[in-house]
Amino acid sequence: MTKIVVDGKEVEVPAEYTLLQACEEAGAEVPRFCYHDRLSIAGNCRMCLVEVKGGPPKPVASCAMNVRDMRPGPNGEPPQVFTKSPMVKKAREGVMEFLLINHPLDCPICDQGGECDLQDQAMAYGVDSSRFDENKRAVENKYIGPLVKTVMTRCIHCTRCVRFTTEVAGVSELGLTGRGEDAEITTYLESALSSELQGNVIDLCPVGALTSRPYAFNARPWELTKTEGVDVMDALGSAIRIDTRGREVMRIMPRTNEAVNEEWISDKTRFIWDGLKTQRLDRPYVKRDGKLGAASWQEAFELVGDKVKAAGGARVGAIAGDLASVEDLYALKSLMTSIGSANYDCRQDGAQLDPRLGRSTYLFNTMVEGIEDADAILLVGANPRHEAAVLNARIRKRYVAGQIPIALIGQNVDQTYPVDYLGAGTDTLAELVAGKGAFFETLKKAARPMIIVGEGAVAREDGQAILSAAAKLAQSVGALADEWNGFNVLATAASRVGGLDIGFVPQEGGLTTGGIQNAAGKGELDVVFLLGADELDMASFGDAFVVYIGTHGDRGAHRADVILPAAAYTEKPGTYVNLEGRVQLNPRAAFPPGDAREDWAILRALSAHTGQALPFDSFNDLRSALYKDHPHLLGVDQIEKGASADIAKLAELGGDMQGSTFVSAVTDYYMTNPIARASAVMAECSQLAKSRSLEAAE
């Protein structure tokens, strides 16, 4: 630690700190445009100028000078920095005047108005007039895709967007060309960005040069009600802020959570909100003479109740979708148990994960932050770029920090960092388990090896055998030490870990998702409940009576005999457990449309018509029962770790792996759930990605 005096206040900071960080540690405010904690230092806006005693007789860019470079006083006194001296004040005013020479003063019509760094700092550090009366330069706007809108005349060349796409997203498609007055930020070939994280440049841009295209001119920030929530587009559980106006969700923004998503979110998370408004189910429907027609809640409940009573518990099944909260799953499980059915499953993709094998067999055990401690990574049947884009950025961050070896078994696709492609399927995994290959030795020598098993490996008939083989490999390379559990499962569904935690899997004699489909197709099941489960072959249910509880007119609603409209994740309070086992609360930000209701309330009302009324009449009663049965869910933002011994037991299970290749669980990143498929923005992105793939294939 090094002592430094900032505006007369002495503080101790690490020698590698920049002066800007040291000043902030001392409580001094230093303005900046180009500097960002998570990006490399550019030093090109000069707004962060400070005065250094004993240094050069001019202001110093505090972002580009380290504490270790400071000189002590003549008698060994700590070096001094001034952030409010007359020299600094005059320098900042001059910099601001230069920045505004070419910046168009279109604040009233700029989408960044109200949350613009340039506006705020011009008020705080600028002057009330300019000495320049020459014409302002104009720059042609660039098309960089359907997500980010550009007004490049406003650009101040801070290069945050360039550094983010290159360093964090790993897609070097933005750059600065030209010099002086001809300098421009561009995609070189003026094509759309291809990164799944490109929307983050909107938050990084300190002016209105890069803004959200879908959100443009929809609202002003002071009109919006802001609710802190949790993302459900993947299993990572990124921290988000949901901005609403009235009953409408207007935009979704990231929140900082160092343990999960840092301050980034994926494009699907950010731009999904238009799908919350379209193709919504807002009233119950009942199929009459082969056609769905509107009905009352009473009529729908009576019909479903009669069907369930006539069928009996053994001939009723339930499948839960990927976006269900723990409370919804608990309510459905309680309903199925009350009518005597053991046929329910939360693994609609057929993943061979079983809570009876132990919690650590389906968690991301190293936790997301643990990626930064790994020194060798093996991906098995996983495509983290599409299955968890923000987590993939964390893997890239680890690679950039230390050039660690990363290998892949599965589909060979660009992960934004170099990978050693070992093979396509189970044969390659079997060789590693047998101790063959150079990468086995790499894992063996690593102090903290990490194995990430994706849904592409476990969502198949031999999934448990593959999981067991991966566990055996983790055991043999020393990844299961007391202080380091390097065995990780990369879930893709927000509801998966929570569902497994509460045991939403077939009980003794019960049917799995595939079993429910087969039995229904053969006429052995009479009633099937789909709780937001749309990623299924709907033709497989044969003549079974299908009850769909969901939000959108998607595949499940098209097949249903009765539709019960439910609330989306932004329209109800709920608990989610992310892939690392972290308990997260998601509050209500808006209200469901029309007659739609919260899922648990639908199930509670329906239970009365089956003759088995559930023992909770309010959401608080439901949560009390849930917490009583599963007390670990009380630990909000806490992780109850699984035992490494369970992974050792999993390794002993064995089983025969079929000699086939691993196929990624996500085939179209932008179309993975009903909300995404209802989004016009996601549809445009999907078409763009497909056309890009075709061009690459040619």
Side-chain angles (χ1 to χ4, degrees):
M1 302 290 279
T2 304
K3 285 185 180 179
I4 183 172
V5 179
V6 179
D7 293 335
K9 181 179 179 181
E10 186 175 295
V11 292
E12 285 194 16
V13 295
E16 64 271 14
Y17 264 30
T18 62
L19 292 191
L20 191 152
Q21 291 172 307
C23 291
E24 290 196 332
E25 194 75 18
E29 183 179 331
V30 180
R32 84 294 301 267
F33 291 115
C34 68
Y35 176 82
H36 192 277
D37 289 338
R38 303 185 201 279
L39 303 176
S40 62
I41 292 169
N44 51 9
C45 78
R46 318 311 284 181
M47 194 64 204
C48 64
L49 295 172
V50 296
E51 181 181 353
V52 176
K53 186 174 182 180
K58 61 179 181 179
V60 171
S62 60
C63 70
M65 186 174 184
N66 283 44
V67 171
R68 66 162 65 92
D69 299 325
M70 300 275 287
R71 295 179 187 172
N75 300 313
E77 301 96 335
Q80 294 191 50
V81 178
F82 301 98
T83 66
K84 300 175 182 176
S85 67
M87 178 198 288
V88 172
K89 183 176 184 295
K90 184 178 180 182
R92 288 178 182 168
E93 288 175 352
V95 169
M96 182 59 69
E97 193 175 354
F98 270 115
L99 287 174
L100 295 177
I101 288 173
N102 285 314
H103 190 80
L105 302 180
D106 53 2
C107 300
I109 59 159
C110 176
D111 251 13
Q112 197 88 346
E115 47 193 4
C116 174
D117 292 348
L118 187 62
Q119 264 187 342
D120 297 340
Q121 293 184 37
M123 289 291 292
Y125 304 104
V127 290
D128 62 353
S129 61
S130 174
R131 288 169 286 178
F132 292 86
D133 54 13
E134 288 82 5
N135 292 333
K136 293 177 181 285
R137 79 165 190 163
V139 181
E140 186 179 346
N141 294 337
K142 311 295 189 297
Y143 175 77
I144 60 173
L147 303 180
V148 182
K149 177 187 174 186
T150 65
V151 184
M152 300 315 294
T153 301
R154 299 172 186 160
C155 180
I156 62 170
H157 304 152
C158 70
T159 67
R160 278 186 181 183
C161 55
V162 176
R163 284 174 284 148
F164 172 81
T165 53
T166 304
E167 298 165 11
V168 178
V171 180
S172 302
E173 293 174 337
L174 272 180
L176 188 143
T177 63
R179 299 181 65 188
E181 192 175 352
D182 296 323
E184 293 184 29
I185 301 289
T186 176
T187 54
Y188 301 117
L189 301 178
E190 297 203 16
S191 59
L193 298 177
S194 61
S195 171
E196 296 78 18
L197 300 171
Q198 62 182 279
N200 291 290
V201 301
I202 297 167
D203 302 326
L204 289 171
C205 185
V207 295
L210 303 176
T211 55
S212 172
R213 189 180 291 273
Y215 172 72
F217 309 120
N218 276 349
R220 287 296 195 183
W222 54 84
E223 301 174 330
L224 305 176
T225 301
K226 301 167 178 64
T227 307
E228 295 185 351
V230 177
D231 173 48
V232 299
M233 292 299 112
D234 55 36
L236 182 61
S238 299
I240 60 173
R241 193 188 80 202
I242 305 161
D243 289 358
T244 56
R245 185 174 62 190
R247 300 174 67 95
E248 275 191 285
V249 175
M250 302 304 295
R251 66 176 178 179
I252 294 173
M253 306 278 283
R255 285 188 296 121
T256 301
N257 186 335
E258 298 293 346
V260 181
N261 60 305
E262 298 182 301
E263 61 186 83
W264 319 124
I265 54 174
S266 70
D267 292 340
K268 191 161 51 174
T269 300
R270 183 185 298 270
F271 297 105
I272 200 77
W273 51 268
D274 70 314
L276 293 166
K277 306 175 188 179
T278 53
Q279 299 181 25
R280 288 300 300 271
L281 300 172
D282 59 358
R283 67 186 68 180
Y285 287 86
V286 170
K287 186 171 284 185
R288 306 180 186 92
D289 301 323
K291 292 185 178 180
L292 285 167
S296 66
W297 279 106
Q298 184 71 14
E299 183 183 354
F301 283 150
E302 286 178 356
L303 177 58
V304 175
D306 291 343
K307 290 287 186 180
V308 170
K309 288 177 186 176
R315 296 180 69 86
V316 178
I319 302 172
D322 294 344
L323 309 183
S325 70
V326 175
E327 288 85 356
D328 300 338
L329 295 169
Y330 184 79
L332 182 54
K333 180 185 177 185
S334 301
L335 175 62
M336 298 301 289
T337 303
S338 70
I339 64 176
S341 173
N343 310 317
Y344 47 86
D345 202 346
C346 66
R347 306 161 299 185
Q348 69 168 339
D349 58 1
Q352 301 295 307
L353 301 170
D354 193 340
R356 289 172 282 256
L357 296 173
R359 196 165 191 250
S360 59
T361 64
Y362 57 83
L363 290 184
F364 200 92
N365 291 292
T366 55
M367 299 182 291
V368 176
E369 280 188 303
I371 292 172
E372 297 186 28
D373 297 323
D375 46 13
I377 299 176
L378 173 66
L379 304 173
V380 181
N383 179 6
R385 180 172 179 179
H386 286 169
E387 294 168 21
V390 178
L391 182 142
N392 193 60
R394 187 84 73 144
I395 298 176
R396 174 177 166 77
K397 179 182 178 182
R398 176 65 187 96
Y399 174 79
V400 170
Q403 304 285 301
I404 64 168
I406 303 174
L408 169 67
I409 302 176
Q411 289 179 293
N412 188 15
V413 295
D414 178 21
Q415 299 293 345
T416 72
Y417 43 81
V419 297
D420 183 6
Y421 183 62
L422 303 181
T426 53
D427 294 342
T428 308
L429 178 60
E431 286 181 10
L432 280 178
V433 174
K436 300 176 183 177
F439 201 77
F440 176 83
E441 295 302 323
T442 301
L443 290 171
K444 188 83 172 172
K445 292 174 184 175
R448 289 187 175 89
M450 178 183 286
I451 297 172
I452 301 176
V453 184
E455 293 286 312
V458 296
R460 28 188 284 166
E461 289 183 9
D462 60 344
Q464 199 165 91
I466 294 169
L467 204 62
S468 177
K472 189 174 181 180
L473 176 61
Q475 193 176 32
S476 61
V477 299
L480 304 180
D482 292 337
E483 70 283 353
W484 177 260
N485 185 342
F487 179 82
N488 300 307
V489 175
L490 180 60
T492 56
S495 64
R496 184 62 44 81
V497 173
L500 294 172
D501 274 356
I502 67 169
F504 198 94
V505 292
Q507 302 306 298
E508 188 174 348
L511 299 173
T512 62
T513 296
I516 290 171
Q517 290 176 291
N518 291 335
K522 295 175 183 176
E524 296 169 5
L525 278 187
D526 296 330
V527 180
V528 176
F529 287 93
L530 300 180
L531 183 67
D534 292 272
E535 321 306 317
L536 300 165
D537 176 13
M538 295 300 166
S540 65
F541 294 112
D543 296 327
F545 186 83
V546 175
V547 181
Y548 179 72
I549 305 171
T551 59
H552 286 74
D554 208 75
R555 299 165 188 162
H558 281 270
R559 170 60 186 84
D561 295 287
V562 171
I563 296 174
L564 304 177
Y569 73 104
T570 57
E571 300 160 357
K572 61 185 176 184
T575 303
Y576 290 89
V577 185
N578 81 342
L579 50 76
E580 55 186 356
R582 186 182 303 273
V583 179
Q584 299 173 304
L585 291 186
N586 189 51
R588 178 194 288 116
F591 289 89
D595 290 335
R597 297 291 180 265
E598 294 174 26
D599 304 63
W600 76 268
I602 294 171
L603 293 163
R604 169 61 184 85
L606 177 60
S607 67
H609 291 267
T610 65
Q612 302 290 338
L614 295 176
F616 41 81
D617 296 322
S618 69
F619 187 70
N620 287 337
D621 291 345
L622 167 60
R623 269 202 172 152
S624 296
L626 173 65
Y627 293 157
K628 184 178 179 182
D629 289 349
H630 306 281
H632 76 281
L633 295 173
L634 278 165
V636 178
D637 205 35
Q638 302 296 315
I639 298 174
E640 184 178 295
K641 293 185 177 181
S644 297
D646 291 331
I647 299 172
K649 292 177 185 175
L650 174 64
E652 296 171 3
L653 283 181
D656 295 327
M657 296 188 292
Q658 300 168 5
S660 56
T661 60
F662 298 134
V663 179
S664 174
V666 177
T667 53
D668 187 341
Y669 168 74
Y670 298 101
M671 295 281 151
T672 54
N673 58 60
I675 303 175
R677 287 189 286 271
S679 166
V681 177
M682 292 295 102
E684 189 174 353
C685 291
S686 176
Q687 285 300 113
L688 193 63
K690 287 176 182 175
S691 62
R692 191 183 288 119
S693 296
L694 290 174
E695 288 173 9
E698 292 173 359

